[in-house]
Amino acid sequence: MTIPSPHHPHAAPTGPGGSALADGPVGHGLYATGDPVTGWTVATALPVRYQVRFVPGVLEPGDPALARAGGPPGRRLVVVEARVHELYGDRLHHYFLAQGVEYETLVLPAHEQVKTMDSVFRVADRMDSFGISRRGEPVIAIGGGVLTDVVGLACSLYRRSTPFVRVPTTLIGLVDAGVGAKTGVNHGRHKNRLGTYHPAVDTLLDPAFLATLDRRHLGNGLAEILKVALIKDRRLFELLDAHGRELLDERFQGPHDGTEVLTRAVGGMLQELQPNLWEHRLERLMDYGHSFSPTVEMRALPELLHGEAVCVDMALTTVVAERRGLLDAEQAERILRLMGRLELPVWHPLIEPATLGEALADTVRHRDGRQRLPLPSGIGAGVFVDDLTDRELAYAARVLRQWSAAVPAPRGQAAGGKRDGRGGLEGREVRA
């Protein structure tokens, strides 16, 4: 039989043998089973609240936003990516001096090859030697997505939960890695195979950092913005189509106002993440471009950046979506041409049947036995499919190879294409 715990007036519904049913109890409490009691079910929830906000001029000495992020000013351990420290180390020193913050700096290299547990342990060691308090002294992470992922994982593990603050300095960090709840590092040949859900208590976004970001890493972030546009936000796509190249040229600092592009990208990400922060539902629009790219990126290291691998994935699934009638030929060509103007690749030699098959198999395991593959449905919306075939992948890879060879892109990094006489993508004659 099921009886209430002496500490709570309710009891959980039970299955055979008195075990709690899969749905579990509704609400909070301690639920007991058996007479006499032989089992218990604990039902609780952790409230999550975190901020993501634009703070232009975050390193201005008179602006207290960074010093007060996550709690009152006090001691801070500041983990800074090595290149960022070269560029902004003096400004950071003057900022914390002006704000009266006692701090230590840990400078870390941060790229995919060192996105490992060794880097996490370095952060944890410094947290230990700094003598950080458990709740009142949030760690500050200043750098790109790799750096903030590493610091976030270290903080999630240190005393099982230590708060941290993110200050993304790359475009991909600003619109993608810096706004969600996930942390992670690579393990073996797998991207982000080890990780936790541990959002920063505060994320401060300052586009001024993009002024010193190199062109390729700007394109890297534009790929993640394009992801949001293709699967969710037609207006964002139109902005990228009209002004994306200028934003790339101007590093979001020029007369072409990139504010709407950035706010729509960040807001779109958060709208998708908030109702499903812990990924209990595995159909996620923001997984678009992330079905084949994890495998391709890790096998291509260091050749492809994360956003570049995502763009190749999106190009592949754009061709799949066109063949299925989810996009018309004009829309598919428009997407691929925009990728080229943003100096992003649409093809890579690893886009071949064996690699794609292995990548899809790993994605199916990651998504609990189903493909749950997001595809664009028109520009600005998406659907999920579970029946993608090897023939479709082989066909799409061949089309992209032909497209990429048709018109070499500027700087040799991206691919163009041209229309055939029938109005579709050149290579339409290819048969899988």
Side-chain angles (χ1 to χ4, degrees):
M1 65 178 293
T2 301
I3 64 171
S5 161
H7 304 293
H8 198 277
H10 303 292
T14 58
S19 61
L21 294 176
D23 289 340
V26 178
H28 300 273
L30 178 62
Y31 299 80
T33 56
D35 186 10
V37 173
T38 57
W40 297 263
T41 298
V42 178
T44 188
L46 176 67
V48 175
R49 182 184 180 91
Y50 67 95
Q51 286 194 111
V52 178
R53 50 188 172 130
F54 280 89
V55 183
V58 71
L59 295 184
E60 290 297 323
D63 188 338
L66 179 56
R68 296 181 180 276
R75 301 170 69 248
R76 294 291 189 270
L77 174 63
V78 184
V79 185
V80 188
E81 193 273 327
R83 177 58 178 158
V84 175
H85 189 261
E86 291 178 14
L87 294 168
Y88 296 97
D90 287 343
R91 289 189 63 187
L92 281 167
H93 172 71
H94 291 301
Y95 175 83
F96 288 117
L97 186 66
Q99 290 292 325
V101 174
E102 178 188 347
Y103 77 101
E104 288 185 11
T105 300
L106 170 62
V107 179
L108 280 184
H111 50 81
E112 289 294 334
Q113 292 97 316
V114 295
K115 192 180 183 183
T116 65
M117 288 303 298
D118 287 341
S119 295
V120 172
F121 295 148
R122 286 189 63 184
V123 177
D125 287 345
R126 181 58 71 87
M127 292 167 74
D128 215 34
S129 64
F130 184 69
I132 197 166
S133 71
R134 188 170 184 181
R135 292 287 184 266
E137 297 175 349
V139 177
I140 298 176
I142 305 178
V146 170
L147 187 282
T148 58
D149 274 2
V150 166
V151 174
L153 181 55
C155 288
S156 74
L157 297 173
Y158 192 80
R159 301 189 189 277
R160 298 183 181 85
S161 180
T162 298
F164 77 111
V165 171
R166 289 180 293 214
V167 182
T169 60
T170 63
L171 183 55
I172 202 166
L174 193 148
V175 301
D176 184 74
V179 303
K182 293 193 288 189
T183 75
V185 295
N186 304 327
H187 179 64
R189 300 180 70 191
H190 302 290
K191 184 172 177 63
N192 291 334
R193 185 52 53 94
L194 305 178
T196 60
Y197 297 96
H198 187 63
V201 292
D202 208 347
T203 297
L204 310 182
L205 308 178
D206 184 0
F209 285 112
L210 304 182
T212 54
L213 192 63
D214 68 72
R215 189 178 185 90
R216 187 180 176 196
H217 281 84
L218 282 163
N220 190 43
L222 282 167
E224 290 285 2
I225 296 176
L226 181 58
K227 172 194 74 176
V228 178
L230 290 176
I231 209 74
K232 181 179 177 62
D233 189 342
R234 176 65 181 257
R235 166 67 179 168
L236 182 56
F237 180 87
E238 299 294 348
L239 288 169
L240 289 176
D241 204 25
H243 305 298
R245 184 56 178 260
E246 288 81 4
L247 293 173
L248 177 62
D249 291 340
E250 298 163 0
R251 291 177 168 81
F252 286 80
Q253 310 299 309
H256 292 90
D257 187 4
T259 300
E260 186 178 0
V261 169
L262 295 176
T263 56
R264 293 188 79 93
V266 172
M269 277 287 293
L270 290 172
Q271 286 170 11
E272 291 298 316
L273 295 177
Q274 184 275 329
N276 190 31
L277 199 61
W278 314 125
E279 298 185 14
H280 295 305
R281 297 192 310 277
L282 297 179
E283 287 87 3
R284 303 173 67 247
L285 283 177
M286 292 300 108
D287 279 342
Y288 182 55
H290 293 72
S291 298
F292 305 97
S293 62
T295 297
V296 171
E297 179 184 352
M298 293 301 292
R299 294 189 183 183
L301 282 176
E303 185 179 352
L304 287 176
L305 298 176
H306 174 72
E308 293 170 341
V310 168
C311 193
V312 170
D313 187 316
M314 293 191 297
L316 183 78
T317 48
T318 290
V319 178
V320 170
E322 187 208 3
R323 193 181 197 199
R324 288 187 170 219
L326 297 169
L327 295 169
D328 61 35
E330 182 178 356
Q331 290 171 323
E333 181 177 349
R334 191 179 177 197
I335 291 167
L336 295 180
R337 285 193 175 278
L338 176 56
M339 291 173 175
R341 290 203 306 280
L342 298 179
E343 298 177 11
L344 290 164
V346 301
W347 183 76
H348 185 273
L350 285 172
I351 300 300
E352 48 83 28
T355 301
L356 295 177
E358 292 174 23
L360 185 58
D362 191 59
T363 289
V364 167
R365 288 189 289 271
H366 184 64
R367 296 176 186 165
D368 207 27
R370 291 170 51 192
Q371 292 180 3
R372 307 178 201 265
L373 188 83
L375 291 177
S377 178
I379 294 175
V383 297
F384 296 94
V385 302
D386 272 312
D387 58 349
L388 187 65
T389 67
D390 291 340
R391 276 180 74 87
E392 287 179 283
L393 288 175
Y395 168 82
R398 292 174 186 177
V399 169
L400 287 182
R401 184 173 65 244
Q402 292 184 356
W403 175 277
S404 67
V407 181
R411 306 173 193 273
Q413 282 193 5
K418 59 184 179 180
R419 296 179 72 90
D420 65 19
R422 296 181 298 281
L425 295 176
E426 184 170 0
R428 174 58 64 188
E429 71 279 9
V430 173
R431 294 292 179 262

